Amino acid sequence: MGRVGTLNTGLMTEDALSEEVEREDGVSKGRYRIVVDGHEAEMTYSRAGQKLIIIDHTDVPAALRGRKVGGRLVRQAVEDARREGITIIPLCPFAKAQIERHAEWHVLRK
């Protein structure tokens, strides 16, 4: 994968998670990941051209469920897409549900 960056979402939850979401961005695929209490959660995507990504999978270990970790991954993807002028196709049911819950994110969805 090409670019690796550490991004701070600025999103605080009841758990006051301070871990940062990392992005690994390659030519055709990428992922967002976060490690909390030694457990890694990730959301993967594929590129379908310069201005389109397809979110295809989100995996949050049972130990992290209910702590809004998956939502942080989706939020970071949406923030990056907005900043970079990219459209998102959320094939992953979790990512699709998260985007549906936030009307302000609908403009980035295809």
Side-chain angles (χ1 to χ4, degrees), residues 26-40:
V27 175
S28 62
K29 295 183 179 215
R31 75 179 185 143
Y32 288 87
R33 68 182 286 271
I34 186 170
V35 178
V36 179
D37 297 336
H39 301 280
E40 180 183 81

Side-chain angles (χ1 to χ4, degrees), residues 1 3 8 10-11 13 18 23 25 27-28 34 39 41 54 77-78 83 88 90 92 95 97 102:
M1 304 223 168
R3 181 174 62 147
N8 185 347
L11 176 67
T13 66
S18 61
R23 179 182 180 185
D25 192 24
V27 175
S28 62
I34 186 170
H39 301 280
I54 301 167
V78 167
R83 184 177 49 256
I88 297 172
C92 166
H102 296 87

Side-chain angles (χ1 to χ4, degrees), residues 49-63:
Q50 296 258 336
K51 296 291 183 181
L52 180 65
I53 65 168
I54 301 167
I55 297 175
D56 48 34
H57 182 70
T58 304
D59 181 42
V60 176

